[in-house]
Amino acid sequence: MTASTQTSKAPRWTSPGLRLLVGSECASLSGSAVSAVAIPTLAVLELHASTTQIAALAFLGQLPNAIVALPAGALSDRYPKRPQMICADVAAAVALVTIPAVAVGDMLTIGQLYAVAVVLGIAKIVHGSASISYLPVLVEPHLLQRANSRLGAASSVADSAGNNLGAALIGTVGAACSVIVDVLSYLVSAFLVWRIRTPEPTAPRPQGRRSLARDIREGLHYVAGQPTIRTVIAALSTLSFGLAIMNTYWAYYLLAVLKVTPTAFGLIMGVGGAGSLAGALLAPKIASRIGIGPTIIVGFAVSPLAQVPLLLAGPGLRWQTTLALVLAVQLFWATASGTSQRSLRQTLCDPRFQGRMQAASTTLTAGARPLAAAAAGALVLYLGVRITLTVGALFQLVPVALLLLSPVRTMRDMPAPPRRTALPSAREGSS
């Protein structure tokens, strides 16, 4: 029996725990969207960072994904998730507040931005690993896709609002002071998570002493034995690598090459956020109409196609409008696909391995980004920014092929969650 044949009812959207989790994610995402505009602006326009320094900033921001994700996933399966989310939010707020604190005295350096990027990367990994595996605690398995859709929609609104707010703040109070909004957003997020009272299932006490390394190995073994989860994560990691090559110089390309103003930069991202919102809201309907598998694949296929206008663009309002609209289409399908594949993985995964499954995905997807940033930094020295972006776009064709050759291509309905057994199984549906 598939999830689509089960009794359909609305998610417990009135559940206080679910409302607070959504509020927490929206708060941190809206603030992070402000910083996503402010920090590149600080690096490019105020500190006059070189292309090598831009690559280093991107590399250091993504480096924690390769180092911290697996231990964070194991910890989220072993210990309560709420305290981990709260500590991560507070750490991020403390790191960010140093930017406006030193900028007042004109003492901000690219080295400090490097340090903040590392701390933020660690905090986001710890928080994300705990929060994404906490959602299945708050809703039943067959309601995960709808809950993910609404969570994604609320997050898209927050992200879009943050981008627009960031553009407005930079124009009025400056990029450094704009970061204060992100500081406050993390504190609000920590407060909302603290207020959640939904109890978590008690993790079974291990027999004897168990090392964190053993928990990590168990999680990796479990994921490797789940064909659908394994294929989706492989596709995500290759897509992430291609996007990371482009994202290393995306802001630089728009601000320095295409001469987009910081305000227009924020507006482009804000229009893209509107597309993401629509994709999140319509994801369940799209999956119901064309199937869960095709929804996932179309989202992956649109990404490389959406890069073509960027590579052909020049300065001017017409190109800026085109890029905003194309970004909206790209993020529409990316969010619809992302909501669907995340719900698919959460549904298929044994509850005991949710954190480690998400950590494996993060390690392979986000963990590839530092390598991509380093590769982008090397490529740009020999090929230039535009050709480097082209290489990143071509790389995004690989995950489309992976999914077309997998069982995901023929998957129409959401599978039923697996039955839980005493030991992790190497085959889906029996774990």
Side-chain angles (χ1 to χ4, degrees):
M1 181 174 64
T2 64
S4 63
T5 62
Q6 300 178 23
T7 302
S8 178
K9 59 181 180 180
R12 292 178 297 173
W13 201 241
T14 57
S15 165
L18 189 55
R19 288 204 312 268
L20 290 169
L21 181 65
V22 171
S24 166
E25 296 300 304
C26 288
S28 61
L29 280 173
S30 60
S32 295
V34 174
S35 290
V37 179
I39 291 179
T41 301
L42 279 170
V44 174
L45 299 184
E46 296 192 22
L47 298 180
H48 306 290
S50 66
T51 56
T52 301
Q53 289 173 323
I54 294 295
L57 183 62
F59 175 84
L60 292 171
Q62 298 298 335
L63 184 60
N65 294 303
I67 300 174
V68 181
L70 288 176
L75 289 173
S76 70
D77 283 337
R78 182 184 287 192
Y79 300 110
K81 299 172 178 59
R82 287 175 55 249
Q84 298 178 55
M85 296 162 66
I86 293 170
C87 290
D89 285 341
V90 172
V94 171
L96 280 166
V97 79
T98 64
I99 293 178
V102 302
V104 172
D106 198 25
M107 298 172 60
L108 184 65
T109 65
I110 191 68
Q112 182 174 346
L113 291 186
Y114 291 161
V116 171
V118 171
V119 175
L120 281 181
I122 294 173
K124 288 178 180 179
I125 288 297
V126 173
H127 179 102
S129 180
S131 65
I132 199 170
S133 57
Y134 192 40
L135 182 61
V137 175
L138 302 177
V139 297
E140 292 81 2
H142 68 285
L143 299 175
L144 274 173
Q145 187 176 19
R146 195 174 299 175
N148 270 315
S149 173
R150 295 189 180 183
L151 179 61
S155 299
S156 295
V157 171
D159 188 58
S160 179
N163 285 323
N164 290 316
L165 177 62
L169 286 173
I170 289 172
T172 55
V173 301
C177 289
S178 300
V179 176
I180 295 175
V181 173
D182 201 7
V183 174
L184 296 176
S185 76
Y186 276 112
L187 296 177
V188 170
S189 174
F191 174 72
L192 293 176
V193 173
W194 174 76
R195 291 190 58 202
I196 297 176
R197 295 295 181 263
T198 304
E200 297 182 44
T202 303
R205 296 182 64 85
Q207 298 179 354
R209 295 188 62 183
R210 288 177 60 93
S211 67
L212 199 63
R214 180 176 175 181
D215 286 349
I216 292 172
R217 286 196 303 270
E218 275 192 2
L220 293 174
H221 175 75
Y222 175 81
V223 170
Q226 308 298 305
T228 301
I229 294 176
R230 184 181 65 222
T231 299
V232 172
I233 290 177
L236 283 170
S237 65
T238 50
L239 176 66
S240 179
F241 189 88
L243 284 172
I245 289 177
M246 301 194 70
N247 288 342
T248 300
Y249 291 108
W250 190 76
Y252 176 86
Y253 182 68
L254 266 67
L255 293 168
V257 178
L258 300 185
K259 306 301 181 183
V260 174
T261 65
T263 299
F265 179 60
L267 291 175
I268 289 172
M269 296 178 70
V271 172
S276 178
L277 169 62
L281 288 172
L282 296 176
K285 292 184 178 180
I286 294 172
S288 176
R289 179 68 60 88
I290 68 175
I292 187 76
T295 300
I296 294 172
I297 292 174
V298 170
F300 277 80
V302 167
S303 186
L305 295 176
Q307 311 309 329
V308 175
L310 176 69
L311 299 173
L312 298 176
L317 179 60
R318 181 177 298 178
W319 276 115
Q320 292 174 17
T321 303
T322 300
L323 294 179
L325 294 176
V326 170
L327 182 62
V329 174
Q330 178 188 357
L331 293 184
F332 172 90
W333 280 105
T335 305
S337 174
T339 296
S340 299
Q341 61 84 11
R342 187 181 306 113
S343 301
L344 177 63
R345 289 187 290 116
Q346 288 172 329
T347 299
L348 289 174
C349 186
D350 187 305
R352 295 167 295 176
F353 292 90
Q354 284 284 348
R356 282 168 285 180
M357 181 273 290
Q358 301 295 346
S361 175
T362 299
T363 299
L364 291 174
T365 56
R369 293 172 191 164
L371 297 176
L379 288 171
V380 79
L381 293 176
Y382 298 98
L383 303 176
V385 174
R386 197 182 294 264
I387 299 300
T388 299
L389 295 177
T390 303
V391 172
L394 291 174
F395 204 91
Q396 294 172 47
L397 296 172
V398 176
V400 181
L402 289 176
L403 290 171
L404 287 174
L405 296 173
S406 76
V408 175
R409 177 174 56 87
T410 59
M411 189 177 292
R412 293 295 181 267
D413 297 317
M414 186 71 72
R419 293 187 298 275
R420 178 169 169 168
T421 58
L423 295 173
S425 171
R427 297 180 65 84
E428 275 174 6
S430 60
S431 57

